[in-house]
Amino acid sequence: MGDSHKYPFINKKEFQSLLFYQGASDHIELDSSEKDLEEFYKINNGYETINMLLFPGIENEKARLQIEKRDKISDKILNHMDELLEIYNRLYSAMCKYTYHTQKNDKLLTYRDDRKHTYLCMQDGMNDSFLSTSFVADRKPPADGSSNYFQKKDGLVLMDVEALDTLEHVDMNDVLGDQSMYPGENEVLYPPFLYLDTELLPLTSEEEQLRDIHGNPPYGKVHVMLKGSTIVAQDLTEEEKEELEKLRDKLIASGEIENTKTVWSAIRSGEESKYSKEIEQYCQWKKMLKLYLRESYAQIKYDVLNVGKQSVGKQMNQERAQMFLDDLKERTDEANDKRKKYEKELKGFNLAEIITGGIAGFFFSLNMLGYVSISCKNLSVDSRVIALLFTFLCIGLAAACKTLSLKDKLRQRTIEFLDYDKLQNDWTYEKEKTEDKLERYVRRMRQIEEQDNKRCLQYTDRMIRNMSEWEEKVEKIKGGDSKK
């Protein structure tokens, strides 16, 4: 699958992100360098997480995970938080491009069935998440008295959504064509962070017969007027871009991801009261996410409005790609040099242990054969003394090797070298070297560095622990000698 067939200004990654949002995983084709993302792109309800993370507090999580019991919302999506951030950005980029290329100043009237919580959040005059709407109002109650999937929500609110086509949006069916998961829905997707007004409307007799997940009639019906975007196009300075990258690193930090999984698990089981500290951290993390997206969207909007600047950026890619290659080669060579160094040191220790252990064994054997004393000229030495001497020497070498954590260091540098080497080979054989892919490779390189730092901290802790244990043993020996 290349760029969007109908709209070439929407690139392959943006097209792919629209498919991911819809859950059309069968239509997503990954490149050979993206095999590590196969699990991520098999997720067919990613939109749930994409939106849930944008709401304040944990009320939306409680509605989806606890009350509505949406068990298909898997925390596995968080294992690729870096790629999820890319999805957020590509969705907005696709919306900006689609809007600025197709706008006619026409009015769009669409429909959405949402939760009471979403409506309550809208009372602040802004939508927190993406809004998926449809040109088709499917509000006839099923004959069997049940609810359709999109109405099985914690407090049903029917929304009539109005906006001008000059507001950022994307007509999913228009872009995706026959690859759309919902060809009959005529879906229009709006981004988060839009100004809006709401006005309550009366329910029709048919609408009053609709039921939410609790079997209750709709909480209400509301006219939602989307008035404009709170995102102001801005060309970020280099310092601001660096701060944005630091913010991104915080969002994908393993500690934050594990905490998020803990909070989700607690909410599913109704035990959120036991995890107040973790929930507070989670809510702060979500605030960071919204801050990151606002800053990132400002730059994306600027870039789309200033196509000339984008062209200059592409011309600079070759220079940046060369910087990436040079840095990657330097890291690969350095890791390999350290790997060879520790391998040589470890071989030296192993050879010394073999020699000393062999000598000790030899003299123990002599003693067993009756050669207790060994004489050389005027010097006579007990074979048992020599055997014990080399035994202690062998034990000392093994202890030194353990204390220096040579095996851990060799393993760490081997993993680091193999990771960098694989990254280098993947880039060499990459068919389409684009700006997006360069960004992805740079992030992979930084992730390797982050994992290496974690392993370094782990073996340092083990080395300190081993040294402490050795010191304790020595102190015990000294204490035993003093008592004698």
Side-chain angles (χ1 to χ4, degrees):
M1 180 187 68
D3 292 350
S4 171
H5 300 292
K6 186 174 180 179
Y7 297 108
F9 51 80
I10 293 179
N11 64 41
K12 177 182 175 181
K13 289 297 182 184
E14 292 162 350
F15 192 93
Q16 181 175 287
S17 298
L18 294 173
L19 289 173
F20 179 79
Y21 188 88
Q22 272 206 341
S25 55
D26 292 342
H27 296 305
I28 296 175
E29 299 175 5
L30 299 177
D31 295 333
S32 58
S33 62
E34 299 174 313
K35 293 298 182 183
D36 58 317
L37 294 174
E38 284 183 349
E39 179 188 57
F40 176 83
Y41 279 103
K42 285 180 181 176
I43 296 171
N44 58 14
N45 63 343
Y47 72 93
E48 298 255 27
T49 299
I50 287 172
N51 290 316
M52 186 168 68
L53 294 180
L54 295 179
F55 282 96
I58 61 167
E59 291 305 312
N60 202 264
E61 284 82 350
K62 288 173 70 174
R64 294 177 193 256
L65 301 175
Q66 187 181 116
I67 299 172
E68 297 171 15
K69 298 190 182 302
R70 300 205 172 198
D71 296 330
K72 289 185 178 180
I73 301 178
S74 171
D75 60 16
K76 288 182 179 179
I77 195 172
L78 300 170
N79 296 337
H80 300 277
M81 190 63 202
D82 197 35
E83 188 68 12
L84 190 60
L85 292 179
E86 285 299 300
I87 297 289
Y88 277 113
N89 288 333
R90 293 170 192 153
L91 287 173
Y92 188 68
S93 179
M95 290 178 185
C96 288
K97 290 178 180 179
Y98 181 82
T99 303
Y100 301 139
H101 282 86
T102 65
Q103 58 185 334
K104 298 177 182 177
N105 206 36
D106 290 341
K107 183 170 73 172
L108 303 175
L109 181 59
T110 54
Y111 305 92
R112 175 173 177 80
D113 301 334
D114 213 323
R115 294 173 185 80
K116 174 184 174 182
H117 178 252
T118 303
Y119 167 66
L120 295 177
C121 289
M122 284 181 173
Q123 300 312 295
D124 293 330
M126 188 184 75
N127 67 309
D128 291 288
S129 68
F130 289 87
L131 280 179
S132 176
T133 67
S134 173
F135 283 116
V136 180
D138 183 15
R139 290 175 178 169
K140 288 186 178 181
D144 61 0
S146 62
S147 303
N148 70 43
Y149 178 78
F150 293 107
Q151 291 168 351
K152 290 182 179 179
K153 295 175 177 176
D154 180 29
L156 178 61
V157 174
L158 309 179
M159 297 182 178
D160 293 357
V161 183
E162 182 182 343
L164 291 176
D165 67 356
T166 53
L167 183 66
E168 289 94 333
H169 72 285
V170 60
D171 186 326
M172 299 287 269
N173 294 68
D174 187 30
V175 174
L176 299 180
D178 58 6
Q179 296 189 57
S180 171
M181 278 286 288
Y182 307 103
E185 289 288 335
N186 294 322
E187 180 183 5
V188 174
L189 185 64
Y190 291 100
F193 316 132
L194 300 177
Y195 289 119
L196 58 82
D197 281 335
T198 59
E199 179 186 357
L200 288 173
L201 299 174
L203 292 165
T204 66
S205 57
E206 278 193 334
E207 291 168 345
E208 287 177 347
Q209 297 177 48
L210 297 173
R211 294 293 179 265
D212 66 10
I213 194 170
H214 304 291
N216 298 324
Y219 177 78
K221 181 178 178 181
V222 61
H223 176 253
V224 180
M225 180 65 191
L226 302 178
K227 303 177 69 174
S229 175
T230 64
I231 302 298
V232 179
Q234 181 184 357
D235 188 17
L236 303 179
T237 65
E238 289 302 317
E239 289 184 0
E240 288 171 332
K241 289 178 181 178
E242 287 180 8
E243 289 301 315
L244 193 61
E245 279 301 309
K246 290 179 182 178
L247 190 57
R248 185 188 188 107
D249 290 341
K250 291 179 181 178
L251 288 169
I252 65 175
S254 58
E256 295 290 355
I257 301 305
E258 290 306 312
N259 184 73
T260 298
K261 291 181 179 180
T262 299
V263 171
W264 283 15
S265 178
I267 292 173
R268 283 187 198 277
S269 57
E271 297 182 334
E272 59 269 20
S273 60
K274 298 178 182 179
Y275 294 86
S276 57
K277 184 179 179 182
E278 288 81 1
I279 289 173
E280 182 181 354
Q281 179 182 338
Y282 173 63
C283 292
Q284 290 301 318
W285 179 75
K286 292 210 298 181
K287 287 180 181 179
M288 279 198 300
L289 173 61
K290 293 179 78 168
L291 176 61
Y292 169 81
L293 291 179
R294 281 185 167 280
E295 292 292 312
S296 185
Y297 284 5
Q299 182 66 61
I300 289 170
K301 193 170 185 177
Y302 179 88
D303 289 343
V304 172
L305 288 170
N306 295 270
V307 180
K309 181 180 182 301
Q310 286 185 318
S311 300
V312 174
K314 289 180 180 179
Q315 292 173 6
M316 294 171 62
N317 282 351
Q318 292 300 323
E319 182 181 350
R320 187 161 177 264
Q322 190 58 50
M323 288 175 60
F324 162 71
L325 268 178
D326 292 342
D327 188 16
L328 179 57
K329 186 178 184 304
E330 184 179 342
R331 290 167 183 255
T332 306
D333 292 342
E334 183 181 359
N336 196 32
D337 289 342
K338 289 184 177 180
R339 181 188 67 81
K340 289 178 179 178
K341 172 191 172 185
Y342 294 133
E343 186 178 41
K344 184 178 179 181
E345 290 179 2
L346 187 60
K347 283 181 178 179
F349 271 96
N350 287 340
L351 181 61
E353 287 177 40
I354 292 170
I355 293 173
T356 54
I359 293 174
F362 173 73
F363 281 101
F364 272 124
S365 299
L366 288 179
N367 182 68
M368 291 176 67
L369 292 172
Y371 297 96
V372 178
S373 180
I374 297 175
S375 301
C376 182
K377 294 184 179 181
N378 296 325
L379 181 64
S380 180
V381 182
D382 194 319
S383 60
R384 289 170 295 184
V385 174
I386 298 175
L388 287 172
L389 177 64
F390 278 96
T391 298
F392 282 121
L393 185 58
C394 183
I395 294 171
L397 287 168
C401 183
K402 184 179 179 181
T403 303
L404 292 173
S405 300
L406 289 179
K407 290 181 181 179
D408 289 336
K409 290 178 180 178
L410 176 59
R411 183 175 181 276
Q412 179 197 3
R413 294 309 167 195
T414 300
I415 293 173
E416 182 189 24
F417 166 69
L418 292 175
D419 285 345
Y420 281 135
D421 188 58
K422 182 181 184 302
L423 187 63
Q424 196 170 20
N425 286 332
D426 286 348
W427 178 256
T428 301
Y429 294 105
E430 184 67 66
K431 290 181 180 179
E432 299 176 7
K433 292 183 172 68
T434 63
E435 179 70 18
D436 284 343
K437 286 188 177 178
L438 179 58
E439 284 292 337
R440 172 170 162 70
Y441 275 84
V442 170
R443 283 195 296 274
R444 280 177 61 186
M445 183 172 69
R446 294 176 65 182
Q447 287 170 355
I448 292 171
E449 181 182 29
E450 181 182 344
Q451 290 300 318
D452 181 60
N453 289 338
K454 289 179 182 178
R455 285 190 292 267
C456 182
L457 182 60
Q458 288 172 356
Y459 85 64
T460 300
D461 288 340
R462 281 196 294 271
M463 184 169 68
I464 293 172
R465 187 167 59 251
N466 290 336
M467 290 178 68
S468 298
E469 290 174 357
W470 177 254
E471 289 173 355
E472 287 176 5
K473 289 179 181 178
V474 171
E475 288 298 323
K476 285 181 181 179
I477 294 171
K478 288 181 177 178
D481 290 342
S482 62
K483 288 179 182 179
K484 292 179 180 179

